[in-house]
C-alpha cells in the first residue's frame, strides 16, 4: 500500500512538472467524452421522442384486411403438378372489410395481455375548403372507446371529444391539416369520398399527436356517419386497434391474432419501421463518433506517455537500481494515464452536460414532421456512467503498452551510458 | 566476516559475437572494507559491478550478499533486496530532476516503507549533514553543481543503512577538489561508520588511498 502511495506521488510530480503535456492529454479525453455525452443526450432524447410518438400515433397492434397480400393465381390452383407462373398478377377487387370485426374485438379483449380493443373505419378522403383541396384520411370511430386506448383527451388543442357525440356530422381534425386548410373550430369543411360522395362536416375540435404523418392528414368522425358517406352497411369495419398492457410485447402477440382471425395483424414497430430505423442509425452514429474520438484521445495519451517514458529512461533506471521493481515502475505510469483519464473524463462529463443544457434550451422548429419547440435532450445518468467508464478504460488501454515498456527497461543499458 | 561473496562468476556477451567478459571471478569483501576495483578500460570492471549489484542476472556462478544467496532469484525479490541492502553511486550523478534534494534522498527509504515519513525526513537530513549538504535540502536537485549532486547521491545511497555501497567511477566526472572530497567522505564512512564500499576507479591516487585494491585484466582478477 505504501508502495502504491509512493507511485502515486511520483506520478503526480511527473504530471505537474509537465503541465502542458498533461493538459493536452487530458483535453483529448475531455473532448471525446464531452462530445459523446452531448451527442448521446441529444440522440437518445430524439430517439425516445420518436419512439413514444410512434407508439401514441399507432395502435400497439392493428388488424386489417391486407388486399395486397400475395395470393395463388387460379392457373396455379388448377395446375397443381405443373409449373405455372403468372406475371404481374393484379390484386382481386376485394373489399377492405374485416368480417365480424366487432366479434373479433370482443375476443381480443379477453386476451390476458390486452388492455383494450376498438373497431374503426378508415378511408381516404379529399378535404375541400373553398378552392383548397387536400388528400387525407378520415377515421370513423366510437370516440369514447378511442379515447380509452389513445388518451385523445390530452391531445385536444381546441374543443372536446364529447362534441363529436352531440354532433353527428362533426369531425375532430388534426392541427396540421386544419392549418393547411386554414380552418378553425366551428368552420365547415366539405369532404369527398373516392366514390365521389360529398358531405359538409363541422369541425368541432382540433387534436395534435405531435407527429406530422398524423396531424397533417387525419380527422376523427363518428363511425355511423363515415359508413353512411361511404355508402356501406352498419357492419362495415376496416380496422381493429389493440392496446396492450406492455407495448413491447406487440411484436410477439401480433402473429397470434393473425393466426386466429385470418387477417393481417401488424405491430407498431413494423408499422413505424422507417421511423424506428432512424433510432438505430442515430445510435450507430453516436457510438461510432464517440469511439472514434476516444481512439484519437487514446493515441494522444499513448504518444505523450511514450514520450514521457523516453525522456525519463535515466530516472527509470535509477529507480530500478534503487530497488523499484518493474511492477512499481509500471504502476507509476499507469497511475499517470489513469489520472489523465479520470480528470479528463470528469471534465468531459461537465462539458457534455453544459452542451446538452445549451442544446435543450435552444429553440428548435420541428417543422411539418414533429411539433416540438426545443430539441428533446435526455439527461439520464446512465450515459454519464458509460462516459466515465469509457474514458477510463480507453486511457488504461492506451497507457498500458508504454507502461509495460517502462517496466521492462533494462537499467544496465542506460547506466552504461 | 565477508559481506559479499562471489564464486566463479562467468559471463558471456553474444553480440556482436560470443565472447567471455568475466572468467570465473572469485571475490570476497569484508565488512567495513573500502575496496577499489581497477584495471584497463574494457577489462570488465563495470560488467562485474552490475553482476555484484544484482541488476545483471545473466551470469554463471554464485553470489551471496549479507548471508543471502542471490543467484537465480526473481527480479522483484532482487529489487527489494537492492532497496534494503545496496546503495549506488554512479559516475553521472543521476538525481531525479523534478524532486528536491531532500526528496531524492528520502526516496529509497519511502520505497522501503519501514519508517514514518517524519523519521525518514529526519534521517535524510542527518545523512545530508554528514555530507555537508544540509543547507541545500530544499533546493531542486537540478539546481546543484556536479560535486554537490554527487554528494547528494551518496547521501541517497546511505539512507537505508545498506550493507554495501557500490560505485562505478563515482569520481570519474568530478574535478580534483571534488574527487578528494568524495574520497574523504568514503574513508570517513568506512572508518567511522564501518561502511563497506566497492568502487570502480581509474583514479590512481583514489585507489592508493583505499584499504584494498583489486586489479582486473581481461575478465580475470589478477591482483588482490
Ligand atoms: N552490452 C554489451 N554487449 C556486448 N559487449 C559488451 C557489452 N557491454 C560491454 N561489452 C564489452 O565487454 C567488455 C567489458 O566492458 P566493461 O564496460 O565491463 O569494461 P570496463 O572495465 O568497465 O571499462 P571502462 O573502464 O572503460 O569503463 C568490453 O570489451 C565491452 O566492449
Ligand atoms: Mg566501466
Amino acid at each position: 500500500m505504501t508502495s502504491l502511495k509512493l507511485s502515486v506521488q511520483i506520478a503526480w510530480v511527473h504530471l505537474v512538472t509537465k503541465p502542458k503535456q498533461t493538459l493536452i492529454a487530458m483535453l483529448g479525453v475531455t473532448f471525446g467524452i464531452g462530445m459523446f455525452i452531448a451527442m448521446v443526450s441529444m440522440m437518445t432524447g430524439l430517439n425516445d421522442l420518436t419512439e413514444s410518438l410512434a407508439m401514441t400515433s399507432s395502435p400497439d397492434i392493428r388488424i386489417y384486411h391486407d388486399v395486397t397480400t400475395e395470393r395463388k393465381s387460379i392457373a396455379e390452383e388448377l395446375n397443381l403438378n405443373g409449373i405455372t407462373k403468372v406475371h404481374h398478377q393484379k390484386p382481386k377487387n376485394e373489399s377492405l372489410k374485416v368480417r365480424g370485426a366487432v366479434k373479433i374485438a370482443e375476443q381480443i379483449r379477453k386476451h390476458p395481455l390486452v388492455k383494450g380493443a376498438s373497431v374503426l373505419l378508415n378511408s381516404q378522403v379529399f378535404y375541400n375548403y373553398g378552392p383548397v383541396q387536400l388528400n387525407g384520411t378520415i377515421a370513423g370511430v366510437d370516440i369514447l372507446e378511442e379515447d380509452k386506448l389513445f388518451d385523445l383527451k390530452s391531445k385536444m388543442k381546441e374543443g372536446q371529444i364529447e362534441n363529436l357525440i352531440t354532433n353527428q356530422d362533426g369531425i375532430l381534425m388534426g392541427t396540421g391539416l386544419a392549418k393547411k386548410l386554414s380552418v378553425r373550430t366551428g368552420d365547415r369543411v366539405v369532404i369527398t369520398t373516392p366514390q365521389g360522395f360529398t358531405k359538409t362536416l363541422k369541425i368541432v375540435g382540433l387534436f395534435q399527436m405531435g407527429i406530422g404523418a398524423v396531424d397533417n392528414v387525419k380527422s376523427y368522425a363518428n363511425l355511423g356517419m363515415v359508413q353512411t358517406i361511404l355508402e356501406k352497411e352498419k357492419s362495415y369495419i376496416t380496422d381493429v386497434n389493440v392496446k396492450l398492457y406492455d407495448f413491447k410485447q406487440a411484436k410477439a402477440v401480433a402473429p397470434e391474432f393473425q393466426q386466429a382471425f385470418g387477417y393481417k395483424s401488424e405491430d407498431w414497430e413494423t408499422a413505424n419501421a422507417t421511423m424506428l430505423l432512424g433510432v438505430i442509425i442515430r445510435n450507430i452514429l453516436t457510438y461510432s463518433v464517440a469511439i472514434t474520438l476516444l481512439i484519437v484521445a487514446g493515441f494522444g495519451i499513448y504518444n505523450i506517455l511514450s514520450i514521457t517514458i523516453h525522456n525519463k529512461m535515466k530516472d527509470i533506471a535509477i529507480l530500478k537500481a534503487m530497488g523499484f521493481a518493474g511492477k512499481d515502475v509500471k504502476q507509476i505510469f499507469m497511475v499517470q494515464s489513469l489520472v489523465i483519464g479520470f480528470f479528463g473524463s470528469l471534465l468531459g462529463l461537465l462539458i457534455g452536460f453544459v452542451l446538452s443544457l445549451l442544446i435543450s434550451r435552444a429553440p428548435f422548429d420541428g417543422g411539418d414532421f414533429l411539433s416540438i419547440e426545443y430539441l428533446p435532450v435526455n439527461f439520464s445518468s446512465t450515459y454519464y456512467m458509460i462516459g466515465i467508464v469509457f474514458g477510463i478504460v480507453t486511457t488504461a488501454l492506451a497507457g498500458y503498452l508504454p507502461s509495460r515498456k517502462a517496466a521492462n527497461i533494462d537499467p544496465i543499458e542506460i547506466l552504461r551510458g | 566476516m565477508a559481506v559479499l561473496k562471489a564464486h566463479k562468476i562467468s559471463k558471456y556477451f553474444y553480440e556482436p559475437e560470443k565472447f567471455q567478459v568475466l572468467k570465473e571471478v572469485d571475490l570476497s569483501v569484508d565488512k567495513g572494507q573500502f575496496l577499489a576495483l581497477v584495471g584497463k578500460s574494457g577489462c570488465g570492471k563495470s560488467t562485474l559491478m552490475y553482476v555484484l549489484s544484482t541488476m545483471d542476472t545473466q551470469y554463471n556462478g554464485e553470489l551471496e550478499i549479507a548471508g543471502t544467496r542471490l543467484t537465480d532469484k526473481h527480479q522483484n525479490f532482487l529489487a527489494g533486496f537492492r532497496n534494503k541492502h545496496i546503495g549506488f553511486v554512479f559516475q553521472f550523478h543521476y538525481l531525479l530532476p523534478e524532486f528536491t534534494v531532500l526528496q531524492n534522498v528520502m526516496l529509497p527509504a519511502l520505497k522501503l516503507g519501514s519508517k514514518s515519513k517524519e523519521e525518514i525526513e529526519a534521517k535524510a537530513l542527518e545523512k545530508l549533514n554528514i555530507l555537508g549538504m544540509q543547507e541545500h535540502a530544499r533546493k531542486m536537485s537540478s539546481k546543484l553543481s556536479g560535486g554537490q549532486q554527487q554528494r547528494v547521491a551518496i547521501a541517497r545511497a546511505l539512507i537505508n543503512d545498506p550493507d554495501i555501497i557500490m560505485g562505478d567511477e563515482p569520481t570519474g566526472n568530478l574535478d580534483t577538489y571534488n574527487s578528494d572530497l568524495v574520497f574523504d567522505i568514503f574513508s570517513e564512512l568506512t572508518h567511522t561508520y564501518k561502511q563497506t564500499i566497492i568502487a570502480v576507479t581509474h583514479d590512481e591516487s583514489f585507489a592508493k588511498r583505499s584499504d584494498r585494491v583489486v586489479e582486473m585484466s581481461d575478465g580475470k582478477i589478477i591482483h588482490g
Side-chain angles (χ1 to χ4, degrees), chain A residues 35-294:
Chain A
M35 286 309 285
F36 167 73
I37 292 295
M39 275 189 68
V40 89
S41 304
M42 193 171 87
M43 294 298 193
T44 55
L46 264 175
N47 284 351
D48 292 351
L49 179 77
T50 319
E51 224 172 39
S52 76
L53 286 178
M55 272 171 40
T56 48
S57 64
S58 59
D60 292 351
I61 299 173
R62 174 182 168 227
I63 295 167
Y64 63 102
H65 187 185
D66 188 3
V67 292
T68 59
T69 309
E70 260 193 36
R71 61 190 168 91
K72 272 197 174 152
S73 68
I74 291 232
E76 279 170 302
E77 270 171 30
L78 291 178
N79 184 8
L80 284 172
N81 301 321
I83 300 170
T84 316
K85 181 79 197 131
V86 178
H87 292 282
H88 306 302
Q89 188 187 13
K90 295 203 174 70
K92 256 188 349 195
N93 184 12
E94 276 180 291
S95 159
L96 291 170
K97 178 174 177 177
V98 175
R99 282 172 208 284
V102 177
K103 282 230 176 67
I104 289 176
E106 261 168 36
Q107 253 180 289
I108 284 175
R109 281 187 198 113
K110 287 181 194 145
H111 193 284
L113 295 176
V114 171
K115 193 174 165 194
S118 70
V119 296
L120 71 152
L121 168 49
N122 255 322
S123 176
Q124 298 275 323
V125 284
F126 283 112
Y127 292 93
N128 312 288
Y129 186 69
V132 187
Q133 188 174 55
L134 285 176
N135 197 356
T137 63
I138 194 161
V141 295
D142 175 344
I143 196 70
L144 294 178
E145 279 292 317
E146 199 69 9
D147 176 54
K148 269 191 221 156
L149 260 62
F150 294 105
D151 189 23
L152 278 182
K153 274 180 190 150
S154 72
K155 310 276 162 47
M156 295 306 292
K157 289 281 149 184
E158 282 178 27
Q160 269 135 27
I161 61 164
E162 288 81 5
N163 295 355
L164 211 54
I165 300 164
T166 55
N167 215 321
Q168 261 310 305
D169 289 346
I171 58 169
L172 303 174
M173 191 176 269
T175 46
L177 182 58
K179 200 173 157 199
K180 284 189 188 175
L181 292 166
S182 59
V183 292
R184 303 200 317 227
T185 311
D187 288 348
R188 287 177 186 280
V189 60
V190 177
I191 64 163
T192 313
T193 67
Q195 289 75 27
F197 193 97
T198 299
K199 185 159 176 86
T200 305
L201 298 173
K202 187 181 175 193
I203 299 168
V204 294
L206 298 180
F207 67 86
Q208 186 178 48
M209 295 287 185
I211 182 169
V214 175
D215 295 338
N216 294 347
V217 294
K218 187 169 178 174
S219 296
Y220 284 108
N222 287 303
L223 180 57
M225 193 277 290
V226 180
Q227 282 165 340
T228 312
I229 60 168
L230 289 175
E231 304 171 283
K232 299 286 186 190
E233 67 278 12
K234 276 284 162 220
S235 64
Y236 188 82
I237 300 288
T238 58
D239 295 67
V240 178
N241 283 346
V242 183
K243 194 91 183 164
L244 302 179
Y245 288 107
D246 179 8
F247 67 90
K248 292 217 166 79
Q249 297 193 301
K251 208 164 187 155
V253 176
E256 229 177 274
F257 294 157
Q258 182 153 341
Q259 195 85 49
F261 307 116
Y263 285 107
K264 172 93 179 173
S265 171
E266 189 180 61
D267 61 275
W268 65 276
E269 281 179 67
T270 313
N272 294 288
T274 4
M275 200 154 139
L276 295 175
L277 188 64
V279 171
I280 297 168
I281 289 173
R282 275 192 286 273
N283 277 336
I284 292 173
L285 213 73
T286 307
Y287 281 91
S288 43
V289 168
I291 286 169
T292 311
L293 288 171
L294 282 174

Side-chain angles (χ1 to χ4, degrees), chain A residues 2-3 6 10 13-14 17 312 314-315 318-328 411-412 414-416, chain B residues 13 46-47 50 55-56 76 79-80 82-83 88 90 93-94 96-99 107-108 110-111 113 117 156:
Chain A
T2 48
S3 168
L6 188 58
I10 296 173
V13 170
H14 282 174
T17 46
K312 296 226 176 305
K314 277 187 195 169
D315 298 35
I318 280 293
L319 287 173
K320 285 191 148 183
M322 286 188 325
F324 282 69
K327 61 179 164 53
D328 301 318
I412 303 170
I414 288 135
L415 295 177
R416 255 184 217 286
Chain B
F13 281 123
S46 295
T47 307
Y50 292 128
M55 279 196 276
D56 190 349
N76 289 346
R82 284 198 294 277
N83 184 228
F88 286 99
F90 302 95
H93 327 299
Y94 289 140
L96 302 182
E98 300 97 342
F99 294 83
L107 212 51
L110 291 171
K111 172 64 193 156
K117 203 177 164 192
R156 183 178 64 186

Side-chain angles (χ1 to χ4, degrees), chain A residues 416, chain B residues 13 15-16 19 21 40-47 169 202:
Chain A
R416 255 184 217 286
Chain B
F13 281 123
E15 294 286 327
F19 129 81
V21 220
K40 285 209 188 72
S41 178
C43 69
K45 304 182 296 292
S46 295
T47 307
E169 304 188 32
H202 277 129

